[in-house]
Amino acid sequence: GVGGNHPHAQWATSDGRSYVFPNVFKGLGTQGSVSIVSEPGHQIVREFQAPAMQMPVATGIQPASRGNKAYVANIVSGQVSVIDLNTNTHVKDIPVTLTPNCQSGPQFDVFDTLQVPIQLPVSPDGRFVSVAVLSLTTVARPCTGSSDHVAIIDTATDTVVKFLGVPTEAGRANGAHGANFGAKLGGGYYLHVASQFSNKLAVVDLDPNGDGSAADAVVAGRVLLANGAPGGPRTTDGTGGQGIKPLPNVYDGWVQDTVARTAQTDAEVRGWIAQLTPCQKNPAGPGCAPAGPGR
């Protein structure tokens, strides 16, 4: 782009035609930008700047077959910028953080909420964006019961449909940071959320009854990421909350290649692939469009 950019946590489109780079800083101050780079050729198609793009830090992209929109988390504004990659236009900005008394809106920035959005993967079927929101305090919000939460965005309306508290241990600030989707046995997907201040991983089921709505999203379980037995003395290794890589990679544009090469993989990978449903093997396939309001 133009000037001194600081790119961080990019994402590629499922068809491999574009990358979206959040530039955390644009020179001095908190103003950042978002760059779209085309493939092949590494050409900068467009660079966006907007009032809400204050320290943009991470990207998630909807599959090309399901809409092809990019979602960018902005640390300072506490909003998610939506970019339509079909037209290369900045569509809107979505507030995803909460004040201590559970207010949310574009008028509240990090100094009001003491929360920051970090990773925000889009579900492989394109239905939801799940924004890991890290709290800078231990103050639990009364509407979520937790200092941290996942803001669940419906991609059909680009609005937050649920703020879900993601505590990994009661009474502790956890620092929701890393997030990624993996396959759910029998169909659908689990969201995995890593914690910056805890050695436990939260597993979220966004749609337990499969009706295409996240109104009933729940924390389905927790995984200890440390040496030692669960329930024993507190263990302190395994914290950090960075990126998560569920296996197999079930994102559109990636999982199809793995499935096509099943015969060339080892027994462990073949076992993973054998447990996937047809739509998990090809999220863009016929009959695999997500259900839900407006779809």
Side-chain angles (χ1 to χ4, degrees), residues 148-240:
D148 309 289
H149 65 263
V150 171
I152 303 173
I153 297 171
D154 184 327
T155 60
T157 59
D158 284 334
T159 57
V160 175
V161 293
K162 184 160 187 174
F163 293 101
L164 177 68
V166 286
T168 55
E169 289 189 59
R172 295 190 65 198
N174 300 298
H177 187 138
N180 212 345
F181 281 97
K184 177 182 174 182
L185 189 64
Y189 302 94
Y190 279 131
L191 174 73
H192 304 81
V193 184
S195 304
Q196 190 161 322
F197 310 126
S198 169
N199 54 18
K200 287 188 178 180
L201 178 85
V203 182
V204 176
D205 192 340
L206 271 66
D207 187 10
N209 62 2
D211 66 350
S213 169
D216 54 350
V218 295
V219 176
R222 296 170 179 83
V223 181
L224 180 68
L225 302 175
N227 296 323
R234 184 184 302 279
T235 49
T236 56
D237 56 332
T239 62

Side-chain angles (χ1 to χ4, degrees), residues 269-291:
V269 177
R270 289 197 296 273
W272 298 338
I273 300 303
Q275 296 182 76
L276 299 180
T277 66
C279 286
Q280 288 172 333
K281 292 178 180 179
N282 182 18
C288 297

Side-chain angles (χ1 to χ4, degrees), residues 25-80:
F25 300 109
K26 184 75 177 172
L28 298 176
T30 63
Q31 179 66 52
S33 69
V34 177
S35 297
I36 301 175
V37 177
S38 65
E39 293 294 336
H42 312 297
Q43 299 298 312
I44 297 172
V45 175
R46 186 163 182 186
E47 183 177 4
F48 296 93
Q49 284 190 283
M53 292 178 184
Q54 301 286 325
M55 293 182 65
V57 70
T59 310
I61 299 181
Q62 187 182 43
S65 62
R66 300 294 181 231
N68 207 30
K69 288 182 288 187
Y71 296 83
V72 181
N74 298 287
I75 285 179
V76 173
S77 70
Q79 299 183 61
V80 169

